[in-house]
Amino acid sequence: MEELPFLEKGRIAQQQILEDGTLFPMVLLPPSPAESPSIGSLVDSIKHNREWIDNQLKQVGALLFRGFPLRSASDFNAVVEAFGWEEHPYLGLASRTRVEGRVYTANEAPLDQPIKFHHEMAMFDSFPTKLIFFCEVAPPKGGQTSVVLSTKITQRMEKKFPELVKKLEEGGLIYSCSIPQDDDPQSFLKGWQSRYETTTKQEAERKLASSGVPVSKITWADDGTMLFEMGPIVSIRTVDKETDKRKALFNPSALRQATATLRDGSLFPEEAMDLLIQITEEECVDITWEVGDFLVLDNRFVQHARRPSTPPRRVLAAFCK
């Protein structure tokens, strides 16, 4: 399959050179601003080159399209549909709003707060394999989306903590989590009353249990906070059991936001957590958004995060099977 006829590969700051010589992320540009295609021709070209795009994504994990004339949620939705990937329903705990068609807001946490590295919907057995982000409004300062290869994190962690990595692969992690009764304006997590649209604890428990979150235990604090355990959740996943045997460290990025224990009851070692954070920051690439950018990620082995920013910033998202 030939490359898209109007594309050339570009460069951004911090791009990493992978072992096979490809760049992470891959940046794809029109040959020149004067030759930037219309939305219609972009959509048609994506449809006719799906195999090439799929192959690049499986190899690199992140494709940044820059210099194309996307300006609205409608434009973005047309591009999302063009890729031909089936929609994956959003099941996570973060606040999001459906904007149009398959398009959601990205995480609605206050912009001055970072969002830590994670795989989307990592707590579920069924999670989106592909994520697509679109920059509608670029922030004046900060707000980068950072990406990192989980497979590289696994390789480096395995050298230092081989037994821990083995435990994560075989037994996973159990998370102790909480949801306050009322919304916290300083947090991106809604209170359980607004999240589940109820004032009764029994109904909140029923809705949490039926949401798909792998809840193993629910209790209540005196102040009305819902306390629950998730897991055990697989923490090392093979990218593809048939075609890609690389191992991705899939969900321990949330460890600073929830108490996590190994399946044998021991805590995640502090020394290992410190190294995990260090490796992640060393291996990541910060992508500074430009209006019209859209970023495609393979959620099976690429984590993403959000840096704090000044407003305004508007990034939209779509989730694909």
Side-chain angles (χ1 to χ4, degrees):
M1 179 66 65
E2 295 296 324
E3 296 188 18
L4 303 186
F6 54 85
L7 285 183
E8 66 178 28
K9 294 179 181 178
R11 297 297 301 267
I12 60 171
Q14 294 187 318
Q15 260 178 310
Q16 295 183 355
I17 302 176
L18 304 182
E19 292 179 358
D20 61 2
T22 57
L23 293 174
F24 174 81
M26 181 181 290
V27 179
L28 299 170
L29 311 169
S32 70
E35 297 180 42
S36 180
S38 66
I39 294 296
S41 61
L42 172 63
V43 164
D44 287 343
S45 293
I46 290 173
K47 288 180 178 178
H48 287 104
N49 290 273
R50 287 172 176 172
E51 183 180 347
W52 183 85
I53 293 171
D54 283 347
N55 289 339
Q56 301 307 307
L57 187 61
K58 290 174 182 177
Q59 179 183 5
V60 181
L63 308 178
L64 174 64
F65 292 78
R66 172 160 289 175
F68 297 96
L70 278 70
R71 294 296 181 267
S72 67
S74 178
D75 292 341
F76 179 47
N77 190 66
V79 167
V80 171
E81 293 282 3
F83 284 110
W85 300 316
E86 186 179 351
E87 181 177 12
H88 192 293
Y90 181 70
L91 304 172
L93 296 175
S95 299
R96 296 184 187 272
T97 303
R98 189 185 288 270
V99 178
E100 178 175 333
R102 293 172 57 173
V103 175
Y104 289 81
T105 56
N107 194 310
E108 296 175 353
L111 292 177
D112 61 350
Q113 297 183 18
I115 297 174
K116 298 181 184 299
F117 281 96
H118 62 286
H119 287 275
E120 200 65 47
M121 304 183 217
M123 71 284 290
F124 300 101
D125 290 333
S126 176
F127 55 89
T129 64
K130 304 170 190 70
L131 312 176
I132 315 175
F133 296 102
F134 159 62
C135 179
E136 187 175 34
V137 178
K141 183 179 180 180
Q144 300 91 339
T145 290
S146 298
V147 293
V148 66
L149 290 164
S150 291
T151 48
K152 294 184 74 172
I153 297 174
T154 306
Q155 290 172 354
R156 292 184 59 180
M157 287 294 292
E158 203 163 20
K159 292 178 181 178
K160 183 70 174 180
F161 294 98
E163 291 302 317
L164 174 62
V165 170
K166 184 178 180 181
K167 287 183 179 181
L168 292 174
E169 184 174 10
E170 294 178 349
L173 288 167
I174 298 172
Y175 292 90
S176 297
C177 307
S178 63
I179 303 177
Q181 177 174 289
D182 302 312
D183 292 350
D184 180 357
Q186 300 302 314
S187 171
F188 63 90
L189 292 177
K190 293 181 179 180
W192 60 263
Q193 288 190 345
S194 61
R195 175 177 297 281
Y196 300 120
E197 298 179 336
T198 183
T199 58
T200 68
K201 295 178 180 178
Q202 292 82 1
E203 180 65 6
E205 288 186 16
R206 186 192 69 79
K207 289 189 173 182
L208 173 62
S210 63
S211 68
V213 175
V215 177
S216 54
K217 180 181 179 182
I218 302 175
T219 58
W220 294 90
D222 292 339
D223 64 357
T225 297
M226 176 189 283
L227 309 172
F228 61 95
E229 290 186 353
M230 295 192 303
I233 297 171
V234 176
S235 300
I236 304 285
R237 296 180 187 260
T238 302
V239 175
D240 188 296
K241 293 180 180 179
E242 300 297 327
T243 62
D244 191 338
K245 301 297 185 180
R246 290 177 298 169
K247 297 177 181 180
L249 188 63
F250 207 73
N251 65 357
S253 56
L255 285 174
R256 292 297 196 195
Q257 298 167 307
T259 302
T261 57
L262 300 171
R263 196 163 190 171
D264 62 10
S266 60
L267 291 174
F268 197 101
E270 193 70 20
E271 181 185 2
M273 171 54 63
D274 291 340
L275 180 62
L276 172 60
I277 293 172
Q278 176 186 330
I279 291 172
T280 302
E281 289 296 331
E282 289 174 354
E283 297 289 350
C284 74
V285 176
D286 285 352
I287 298 173
T288 300
W289 286 110
E290 296 182 6
V291 173
D293 285 353
F294 59 103
L295 174 67
V296 185
L297 301 181
D298 192 320
N299 189 47
R300 298 174 303 169
F301 64 99
V302 175
Q303 295 185 37
H304 64 282
R306 189 194 75 183
R307 305 300 190 187
S309 75
T310 55
R313 178 187 190 270
R314 183 172 170 85
V315 174
L316 304 179
F319 313 99
C320 307
K321 292 184 178 180

